[in-house]
Amino acid sequence: MLVRDAMSTVILTVGPAHSLRQAAALMSARRVGAAVVLDPDAGGVGILTERDVLNSVALGQNPDTERTHAHTTTEVVFAAPTWTLEEAARAMTHGGFRHLVVLDRGEVAGIVSVRDIIRCWVPAREPAPAL
């Protein structure tokens, strides 16, 4: 199975000037663990994860004044839609992260998470047997 079969194509994007609270509220409302940060001034595409927000709060930083650009990972490992899920899982394990931005011909095409991969690898739950 390939990354294109597992990735989400509806992507939450935020800008570099969003506050962490705004980004967290959008992530919570969409029930996603990461947002793609589009910042043409800082090289293009980055990622903000729930872990980035959590680390900021743990440091006592104010989520209303902290901006996403200060917490965005800009050295992103990108996946291609033609990668196998094994390649994606290997990249995540090696890099210690849970989300990969998927690029297709230089454009953001989706995002794939560990959860997406697990959903593909583990069969859907069957109903519990009747007693």
Side-chain angles (χ1 to χ4, degrees):
M1 190 167 276
L2 302 178
V3 164
R4 77 169 139 243
D5 302 319
M7 72 182 190
S8 299
T9 56
V10 178
I11 307 154
L12 173 61
T13 59
V14 297
H18 277 86
S19 72
L20 285 186
R21 184 177 306 279
Q22 289 170 319
L26 290 168
M27 290 164 64
S28 178
R30 299 247 185 115
R31 298 180 50 110
V32 297
V36 172
V37 181
L38 300 178
D39 187 356
D41 296 333
V45 178
I47 190 167
L48 178 77
T49 67
E50 57 198 357
R51 184 178 303 162
D52 298 322
V53 176
L54 182 66
N55 287 341
S56 175
V57 171
L59 291 171
Q61 296 173 334
N62 184 340
D64 293 313
T65 58
E66 288 296 312
R67 301 292 165 210
T68 59
H69 71 85
H71 302 278
T72 298
T73 301
T74 55
E75 294 180 15
V76 178
V77 175
F78 297 102
T82 55
W83 279 17
T84 65
L85 294 185
E86 289 81 6
E87 288 172 307
R90 193 174 303 111
M92 290 177 187
T93 301
H94 184 266
F97 44 81
R98 298 177 296 175
H99 300 87
L100 284 169
V101 176
V102 182
L103 290 186
D104 190 10
R105 297 180 186 97
E107 298 293 322
V108 176
I111 193 162
V112 65
S113 70
V114 169
R115 182 176 293 161
D116 296 327
I117 293 171
I118 290 170
R119 283 186 185 134
C120 290
W121 284 348
V122 176
R125 286 191 200 182
E126 295 178 13
L131 295 177

